[in-house]
Structures are given as structure tokens and as C-alpha cells.
Amino acid sequence: PLGAIRSAIYVLRHGADDDPQLRDELLGGIEESIENMQPLLDDLSLLHGQVQGTIQLNRRPVAISDWLPPLLLPWRAVTQEKGLQWQANIPPGLPTLNVDPDRLAQVVGNLLSNAVKYTPEEGAVSVSASVTINELLIQITDTGPGIQPEEEERVFEPFYRSQEQRRFPMGLGLGLTIARDLVEAHDGRLLLESTPGSGSSFTIALPLITEIPGRISEAA
């Protein structure tokens, strides 16, 4: 993003400012580049906090069946705009958990961003939620290139890049690291299943029984 900003400023300084349309396009590009930098800075800031052992969660009771569907709406639009199939299965009556909804939204957003980014046109992205005896599961599945077995654990390492450059070649390589740490801060697990050439499935697994002020939340 910094390179794009420098280039736009250079062009503006050398006469592009005389063309209103070009000026607006360049200024729009600068604005977009700055917006693209914000998630990178947020990731670095959060990573620093993790290194210092200072992950902070603002927990509160969250009804998952009410919280998750609105969160998915923008991603459904992005998926369909790219020409991908979209499917979401979020049943009513999922438990209320004592979690940080903003941090969990960051995890879901990261996983969906990767799914959309690396799934080719006419592929599919799906989201589902379910409960087991002990856990709430939020599963995000794509039909992208998949991940080699030897890389399945390494993709959670900070700054890791796929050796085949088929997946995760962009950004800082911090998204999955932070996503897993945020899930684990909720006493949960972030699981990965992948078949090279057939896609990947990431599952957020959160403990069903969590202490909520004044009561205990538990699946029926």
C-alpha cells in the first residue's frame, strides 16, 4: 500500500492534478491503499499484544443464532459478486455464550476472507453452525486449492508462506496465527481439514458451557 501511495503522490505532483478525473481516481486509490493498511496495522498491534501476553477479551453474553447471520451478510454479497456459490446454515436455538463478539467476528472474517480470496470462480463457500455434547462449532468451507498435509500446521505460524504459493501468498501471514490465538483465548480450538485440490474447512470450536454473570449457559 505504501508503494501505491507514493506512486499516486508522484503523479499528482507532476501534473495529474490538472485533470480532475485522474486526480479523483488517484485520490480514491490513495484512500483505498490507506484502508488496506489498517488491517495490517491491526494485525501487528494484536501480535505485539500476544507476544506481551496481553490479549484482552470483552466478554458478554452473546446469542449465537442472532449474532452470526448479520455478520455473514456482507460476505454473502462479496462471494456472490465473485461468482461463487454461497451457502449458510445457521439454525435457531444455538446457545448463548459468554464471548467477545468483536474478536470472534475478526476470526470469522479472516476465515471467510481467505475462503473467498482463494476459491476460483464458480467454486463455493459455505458456513454452518452446530452443537456437539461439549462444543459449539462454526465451520467455514471452501472449494479452493487446499493445503498440503505437511503445511496444515505451519499455516498457523506467523509470517508463514506456502512453498507452492498457491494459498496465503499475500498479506503479512498473521491472519491465521491471530485467529487461532483469539479462539484459544476463548478456551476453544481452531481446526483445519484440507484436501489438496479439493478445498479446506476451518472449524471454530468453542466450549458449550461458559460462565455468564448470574447463570450458566449450556446447550439444551
Side-chain angles (χ1 to χ4, degrees):
L2 285 175
I5 291 171
R6 289 193 188 101
S7 297
I9 291 174
Y10 177 86
V11 174
L12 286 169
R13 286 184 179 275
H14 289 79
D17 193 49
D18 296 333
D19 184 334
Q21 181 177 351
L22 180 56
R23 179 191 61 207
D24 290 344
E25 290 176 356
L26 290 171
L27 289 174
I30 291 175
E31 183 178 19
E32 182 178 355
S33 296
I34 292 173
E35 291 175 354
N36 289 339
M37 283 181 12
Q38 189 61 54
L40 305 181
L41 296 174
D42 290 344
D43 283 352
L44 284 174
S45 176
L46 184 54
L47 181 66
H48 178 267
Q50 290 169 319
V51 170
Q52 299 298 318
T54 56
I55 296 179
Q56 299 293 326
L57 296 180
N58 181 21
R59 290 179 180 263
R60 56 185 183 270
V62 175
I64 302 300
S65 290
D66 297 332
W67 166 77
L68 190 52
L71 179 66
L72 299 179
L73 290 177
W75 293 105
R76 181 182 68 181
V78 170
T79 301
Q80 293 174 341
E81 183 178 355
K82 188 180 175 181
L84 305 177
Q85 298 180 31
W86 168 267
Q87 183 175 3
N89 180 20
I90 313 300
L94 293 173
T96 295
L97 301 182
N98 193 35
V99 296
D100 185 329
D102 295 330
R103 291 305 192 188
L104 282 184
Q106 182 179 353
V107 175
V108 173
N110 175 271
L111 299 178
L112 279 170
S113 177
N114 284 339
V116 173
K117 187 184 302 179
Y118 298 107
T119 299
E121 190 173 351
E122 298 184 358
V125 173
S126 64
V127 184
S128 63
S130 60
V131 292
T132 67
I133 295 176
N134 299 315
E135 293 177 309
L136 167 77
L137 305 179
I138 301 174
Q139 188 174 59
I140 296 170
T141 302
D142 64 62
T143 58
I147 301 168
Q148 294 294 332
E150 62 271 18
E151 293 187 306
E152 287 190 10
E153 182 59 29
R154 297 206 64 193
V155 297
F156 294 102
E157 297 176 4
F159 309 112
Y160 179 71
R161 288 290 180 275
S162 172
Q163 298 302 307
E164 298 187 15
Q165 295 294 300
R166 298 182 309 163
R167 189 171 174 123
F168 311 114
M170 297 175 275
L172 290 177
L174 293 175
L176 287 177
T177 304
I178 292 171
R180 182 171 66 175
D181 286 351
L182 287 175
V183 172
E184 290 179 350
H186 285 84
D187 301 315
R189 303 178 295 153
L190 181 57
L191 311 174
L192 166 62
E193 295 182 5
S194 185
T195 302
S198 299
S200 302
S201 180
F202 288 86
T203 301
I204 302 166
L206 299 172
L208 269 186
I209 302 176
T210 57
E211 295 185 1
I212 294 178
R215 63 193 179 100
I216 297 292
S217 173
E218 183 175 0

